[in-house]
Amino acid sequence: MQSITRQRIGNEAEPLIVIDGFASDPDALRGAAAQVPFGPAGAHYPGMCAQIPESYLQDQLPVVARGLGREFGSCRRIRVVDAQFSIVTISPGALEIRQRVPHVDAYGRDRIALIHYLSPTHRDGTAFFRHRATGFETIDETRAPEFFARLGSEVEAMPPEGYIAEDSALFERTALVEADYNRALLYRSYVLHSGAIARDAILSADPALGRLTVTAFLAIE
């Protein structure tokens, strides 16, 4: 049974939608993930990715539309920018610097991120942050130059260690959502966030053991 929770996070009161019971058959999705080859993920993602079933978006976009409601403004169409299975596999000590700090995936208010948790055992969800020096919780094109200039100086002086899941010297956590099985999150892609990966997390590339998710990026039009 689906349950939709709507909340506003941080000082900037950005919408965060939590949908429990997101897919009708999450076990079938796990089975599909076990049958497809995974390869290195690009950009910021600290792990591997694989193709999702063609039916996934057809089945889930109506649920996404209900979840979005009016929280993100008017929407006549949802366009899929990218969607894939993802598994976190990189050890904390092997992360690049940019993977050790919160990030954004796009600058526009019309870009929405979807994370669908598909591991019955992993509770490592997603955390959201405020940059202490600037107070920014979202990064758009106007804020990006100041944010990245400040952050570059900070990480050079004080390199972060491992995954960020809690408050740090550079960032304050504004919200945390645990990764319940078959739970999905929707939020604007320009909100500072990070996978809240525990220090002792099992970082297996096996979809049956690792932190399996579907990650998707959508545009509302």
Side-chain angles (χ1 to χ4, degrees), residues 94-112:
L95 294 172
E96 298 179 9
I97 289 294
R98 65 180 181 173
Q99 294 169 328
R100 303 180 185 210
V101 294
H103 66 278
V104 301
D105 299 304
Y107 292 148
R109 286 178 57 83
D110 62 340
R111 295 286 293 273
I112 307 298

PDB file of all heavy atoms in Angstrom, residues 94-112:
ATOM      1  N   ALA A  94      38.870   5.474  -0.829  1.00  0.00           N
ATOM      2  CA  ALA A  94      39.136   5.595  -2.262  1.00  0.00           C
ATOM      3  C   ALA A  94      38.296   6.665  -2.939  1.00  0.00           C
ATOM      4  O   ALA A  94      38.400   6.871  -4.150  1.00  0.00           O
ATOM      5  CB  ALA A  94      38.892   4.249  -2.947  1.00  0.00           C
ATOM      6  N   LEU A  95      37.460   7.368  -2.181  1.00  0.00           N
ATOM      7  CA  LEU A  95      36.607   8.394  -2.766  1.00  0.00           C
ATOM      8  C   LEU A  95      37.407   9.579  -3.280  1.00  0.00           C
ATOM      9  O   LEU A  95      38.407   9.980  -2.681  1.00  0.00           O
ATOM     10  CB  LEU A  95      35.615   8.909  -1.711  1.00  0.00           C
ATOM     11  CG  LEU A  95      34.560   7.939  -1.196  1.00  0.00           C
ATOM     12  CD1 LEU A  95      33.818   8.564  -0.030  1.00  0.00           C
ATOM     13  CD2 LEU A  95      33.592   7.545  -2.299  1.00  0.00           C
ATOM     14  N   GLU A  96      36.952  10.162  -4.389  1.00  0.00           N
ATOM     15  CA  GLU A  96      37.474  11.449  -4.823  1.00  0.00           C
ATOM     16  C   GLU A  96      36.956  12.531  -3.869  1.00  0.00           C
ATOM     17  O   GLU A  96      35.949  12.338  -3.187  1.00  0.00           O
ATOM     18  CB  GLU A  96      37.027  11.763  -6.248  1.00  0.00           C
ATOM     19  CG  GLU A  96      37.510  10.775  -7.296  1.00  0.00           C
ATOM     20  CD  GLU A  96      37.000  11.130  -8.682  1.00  0.00           C
ATOM     21  OE1 GLU A  96      36.423  12.233  -8.835  1.00  0.00           O
ATOM     22  OE2 GLU A  96      37.138  10.301  -9.589  1.00  0.00           O
ATOM     23  N   ILE A  97      37.644  13.670  -3.829  1.00  0.00           N
ATOM     24  CA  ILE A  97      37.235  14.748  -2.928  1.00  0.00           C
ATOM     25  C   ILE A  97      35.788  15.149  -3.170  1.00  0.00           C
ATOM     26  O   ILE A  97      35.007  15.351  -2.226  1.00  0.00           O
ATOM     27  CB  ILE A  97      38.157  15.975  -3.080  1.00  0.00           C
ATOM     28  CG1 ILE A  97      39.534  15.676  -2.488  1.00  0.00           C
ATOM     29  CG2 ILE A  97      37.555  17.197  -2.401  1.00  0.00           C
ATOM     30  CD1 ILE A  97      39.527  15.473  -0.983  1.00  0.00           C
ATOM     31  N   ARG A  98      35.380  15.253  -4.430  1.00  0.00           N
ATOM     32  CA  ARG A  98      34.013  15.699  -4.717  1.00  0.00           C
ATOM     33  C   ARG A  98      32.966  14.694  -4.258  1.00  0.00           C
ATOM     34  O   ARG A  98      31.789  15.040  -4.133  1.00  0.00           O
ATOM     35  CB  ARG A  98      33.852  15.970  -6.217  1.00  0.00           C
ATOM     36  CG  ARG A  98      33.991  14.745  -7.103  1.00  0.00           C
ATOM     37  CD  ARG A  98      33.814  15.117  -8.558  1.00  0.00           C
ATOM     38  NE  ARG A  98      33.926  13.957  -9.432  1.00  0.00           N
ATOM     39  CZ  ARG A  98      33.670  13.997 -10.734  1.00  0.00           C
ATOM     40  NH1 ARG A  98      33.285  15.138 -11.300  1.00  0.00           N
ATOM     41  NH2 ARG A  98      33.795  12.926 -11.481  1.00  0.00           N
ATOM     42  N   GLN A  99      33.360  13.434  -4.002  1.00  0.00           N
ATOM     43  CA  GLN A  99      32.427  12.434  -3.501  1.00  0.00           C
ATOM     44  C   GLN A  99      32.348  12.430  -1.976  1.00  0.00           C
ATOM     45  O   GLN A  99      31.558  11.687  -1.401  1.00  0.00           O
ATOM     46  CB  GLN A  99      32.844  11.046  -4.002  1.00  0.00           C
ATOM     47  CG  GLN A  99      32.733  10.899  -5.505  1.00  0.00           C
ATOM     48  CD  GLN A  99      33.397   9.637  -6.018  1.00  0.00           C
ATOM     49  OE1 GLN A  99      34.385   9.170  -5.462  1.00  0.00           O
ATOM     50  NE2 GLN A  99      32.837   9.067  -7.075  1.00  0.00           N
ATOM     51  N   ARG A 100      33.153  13.267  -1.321  1.00  0.00           N
ATOM     52  CA  ARG A 100      33.191  13.330   0.138  1.00  0.00           C
ATOM     53  C   ARG A 100      32.435  14.533   0.695  1.00  0.00           C
ATOM     54  O   ARG A 100      32.436  14.758   1.904  1.00  0.00           O
ATOM     55  CB  ARG A 100      34.652  13.387   0.611  1.00  0.00           C
ATOM     56  CG  ARG A 100      35.476  12.209   0.129  1.00  0.00           C
ATOM     57  CD  ARG A 100      36.912  12.284   0.600  1.00  0.00           C
ATOM     58  NE  ARG A 100      37.700  11.204   0.025  1.00  0.00           N
ATOM     59  CZ  ARG A 100      38.752  10.646   0.607  1.00  0.00           C
ATOM     60  NH1 ARG A 100      39.150  11.084   1.791  1.00  0.00           N
ATOM     61  NH2 ARG A 100      39.408   9.662   0.009  1.00  0.00           N
ATOM     62  N   VAL A 101      31.828  15.290  -0.179  1.00  0.00           N
ATOM     63  CA  VAL A 101      31.058  16.467   0.234  1.00  0.00           C
ATOM     64  C   VAL A 101      29.693  16.410  -0.434  1.00  0.00           C
ATOM     65  O   VAL A 101      29.513  15.761  -1.473  1.00  0.00           O
ATOM     66  CB  VAL A 101      31.770  17.785  -0.149  1.00  0.00           C
ATOM     67  CG1 VAL A 101      33.067  17.943   0.626  1.00  0.00           C
ATOM     68  CG2 VAL A 101      32.028  17.849  -1.647  1.00  0.00           C
ATOM     69  N   PRO A 102      28.686  17.069   0.137  1.00  0.00           N
ATOM     70  CA  PRO A 102      27.374  17.132  -0.518  1.00  0.00           C
ATOM     71  C   PRO A 102      27.481  17.747  -1.912  1.00  0.00           C
ATOM     72  O   PRO A 102      28.356  18.567  -2.178  1.00  0.00           O
ATOM     73  CB  PRO A 102      26.558  18.022   0.428  1.00  0.00           C
ATOM     74  CG  PRO A 102      27.218  17.859   1.755  1.00  0.00           C
ATOM     75  CD  PRO A 102      28.680  17.729   1.454  1.00  0.00           C
ATOM     76  N   HIS A 103      26.567  17.367  -2.791  1.00  0.00           N
ATOM     77  CA  HIS A 103      26.606  17.832  -4.169  1.00  0.00           C
ATOM     78  C   HIS A 103      25.197  18.129  -4.659  1.00  0.00           C
ATOM     79  O   HIS A 103      24.205  17.812  -3.991  1.00  0.00           O
ATOM     80  CB  HIS A 103      27.252  16.763  -5.067  1.00  0.00           C
ATOM     81  CG  HIS A 103      26.429  15.512  -5.176  1.00  0.00           C
ATOM     82  ND1 HIS A 103      26.455  14.525  -4.211  1.00  0.00           N
ATOM     83  CD2 HIS A 103      25.536  15.093  -6.119  1.00  0.00           C
ATOM     84  CE1 HIS A 103      25.642  13.550  -4.559  1.00  0.00           C
ATOM     85  NE2 HIS A 103      25.053  13.871  -5.714  1.00  0.00           N
ATOM     86  N   VAL A 104      25.114  18.734  -5.824  1.00  0.00           N
ATOM     87  CA  VAL A 104      23.845  18.887  -6.536  1.00  0.00           C
ATOM     88  C   VAL A 104      23.996  18.222  -7.895  1.00  0.00           C
ATOM     89  O   VAL A 104      25.101  18.029  -8.385  1.00  0.00           O
ATOM     90  CB  VAL A 104      23.438  20.373  -6.687  1.00  0.00           C
ATOM     91  CG1 VAL A 104      23.304  21.033  -5.316  1.00  0.00           C
ATOM     92  CG2 VAL A 104      24.436  21.151  -7.551  1.00  0.00           C
ATOM     93  N   ASP A 105      22.864  17.867  -8.508  1.00  0.00           N
ATOM     94  CA  ASP A 105      22.902  17.158  -9.785  1.00  0.00           C
ATOM     95  C   ASP A 105      22.528  18.033 -10.972  1.00  0.00           C
ATOM     96  O   ASP A 105      22.809  17.680 -12.110  1.00  0.00           O
ATOM     97  CB  ASP A 105      21.955  15.953  -9.727  1.00  0.00           C
ATOM     98  CG  ASP A 105      22.366  14.963  -8.646  1.00  0.00           C
ATOM     99  OD1 ASP A 105      23.511  14.500  -8.668  1.00  0.00           O
ATOM    100  OD2 ASP A 105      21.535  14.673  -7.768  1.00  0.00           O
ATOM    101  N   ALA A 106      21.877  19.147 -10.715  1.00  0.00           N
ATOM    102  CA  ALA A 106      21.500  20.098 -11.769  1.00  0.00           C
ATOM    103  C   ALA A 106      21.136  21.410 -11.090  1.00  0.00           C
ATOM    104  O   ALA A 106      20.851  21.442  -9.890  1.00  0.00           O
ATOM    105  CB  ALA A 106      20.327  19.577 -12.595  1.00  0.00           C
ATOM    106  N   TYR A 107      21.134  22.507 -11.844  1.00  0.00           N
ATOM    107  CA  TYR A 107      20.902  23.825 -11.257  1.00  0.00           C
ATOM    108  C   TYR A 107      19.456  24.306 -11.333  1.00  0.00           C
ATOM    109  O   TYR A 107      19.042  25.171 -10.579  1.00  0.00           O
ATOM    110  CB  TYR A 107      21.783  24.867 -11.955  1.00  0.00           C
ATOM    111  CG  TYR A 107      23.263  24.719 -11.690  1.00  0.00           C
ATOM    112  CD1 TYR A 107      24.191  25.077 -12.669  1.00  0.00           C
ATOM    113  CD2 TYR A 107      23.739  24.243 -10.486  1.00  0.00           C
ATOM    114  CE1 TYR A 107      25.554  24.968 -12.433  1.00  0.00           C
ATOM    115  CE2 TYR A 107      25.103  24.126 -10.246  1.00  0.00           C
ATOM    116  CZ  TYR A 107      26.008  24.493 -11.225  1.00  0.00           C
ATOM    117  OH  TYR A 107      27.343  24.372 -10.991  1.00  0.00           O
ATOM    118  N   GLY A 108      18.665  23.783 -12.245  1.00  0.00           N
ATOM    119  CA  GLY A 108      17.344  24.354 -12.487  1.00  0.00           C
ATOM    120  C   GLY A 108      16.279  23.905 -11.502  1.00  0.00           C
ATOM    121  O   GLY A 108      16.294  22.767 -11.013  1.00  0.00           O
ATOM    122  N   ARG A 109      15.313  24.784 -11.211  1.00  0.00           N
ATOM    123  CA  ARG A 109      14.197  24.448 -10.330  1.00  0.00           C
ATOM    124  C   ARG A 109      13.266  23.418 -10.953  1.00  0.00           C
ATOM    125  O   ARG A 109      12.457  22.792 -10.252  1.00  0.00           O
ATOM    126  CB  ARG A 109      13.397  25.710  -9.999  1.00  0.00           C
ATOM    127  CG  ARG A 109      14.074  26.648  -9.032  1.00  0.00           C
ATOM    128  CD  ARG A 109      13.227  27.900  -8.803  1.00  0.00           C
ATOM    129  NE  ARG A 109      11.893  27.586  -8.328  1.00  0.00           N
ATOM    130  CZ  ARG A 109      11.582  27.339  -7.056  1.00  0.00           C
ATOM    131  NH1 ARG A 109      12.521  27.354  -6.127  1.00  0.00           N
ATOM    132  NH2 ARG A 109      10.333  27.078  -6.693  1.00  0.00           N
ATOM    133  N   ASP A 110      13.357  23.225 -12.266  1.00  0.00           N
ATOM    134  CA  ASP A 110      12.474  22.281 -12.937  1.00  0.00           C
ATOM    135  C   ASP A 110      13.058  20.877 -13.008  1.00  0.00           C
ATOM    136  O   ASP A 110      12.445  19.979 -13.587  1.00  0.00           O
ATOM    137  CB  ASP A 110      12.168  22.770 -14.354  1.00  0.00           C
ATOM    138  CG  ASP A 110      13.413  22.872 -15.226  1.00  0.00           C
ATOM    139  OD1 ASP A 110      14.529  22.937 -14.668  1.00  0.00           O
ATOM    140  OD2 ASP A 110      13.268  22.906 -16.460  1.00  0.00           O
ATOM    141  N   ARG A 111      14.229  20.658 -12.427  1.00  0.00           N
ATOM    142  CA  ARG A 111      14.866  19.344 -12.456  1.00  0.00           C
ATOM    143  C   ARG A 111      14.641  18.643 -11.118  1.00  0.00           C
ATOM    144  O   ARG A 111      14.923  19.199 -10.052  1.00  0.00           O
ATOM    145  CB  ARG A 111      16.351  19.487 -12.760  1.00  0.00           C
ATOM    146  CG  ARG A 111      16.639  20.031 -14.153  1.00  0.00           C
ATOM    147  CD  ARG A 111      16.380  18.995 -15.231  1.00  0.00           C
ATOM    148  NE  ARG A 111      17.309  17.900 -15.142  1.00  0.00           N
ATOM    149  CZ  ARG A 111      18.518  17.904 -15.737  1.00  0.00           C
ATOM    150  NH1 ARG A 111      18.909  18.951 -16.445  1.00  0.00           N
ATOM    151  NH2 ARG A 111      19.311  16.873 -15.615  1.00  0.00           N
ATOM    152  N   ILE A 112      14.155  17.405 -11.195  1.00  0.00           N
ATOM    153  CA  ILE A 112      13.769  16.636 -10.017  1.00  0.00           C
ATOM    154  C   ILE A 112      14.605  15.353  -9.954  1.00  0.00           C
ATOM    155  O   ILE A 112      14.800  14.675 -10.966  1.00  0.00           O
ATOM    156  CB  ILE A 112      12.275  16.262 -10.061  1.00  0.00           C
ATOM    157  CG1 ILE A 112      11.410  17.503 -10.276  1.00  0.00           C
ATOM    158  CG2 ILE A 112      11.864  15.505  -8.795  1.00  0.00           C
ATOM    159  CD1 ILE A 112      11.515  18.534  -9.184  1.00  0.00           C
TER     160      ILE A 112
END
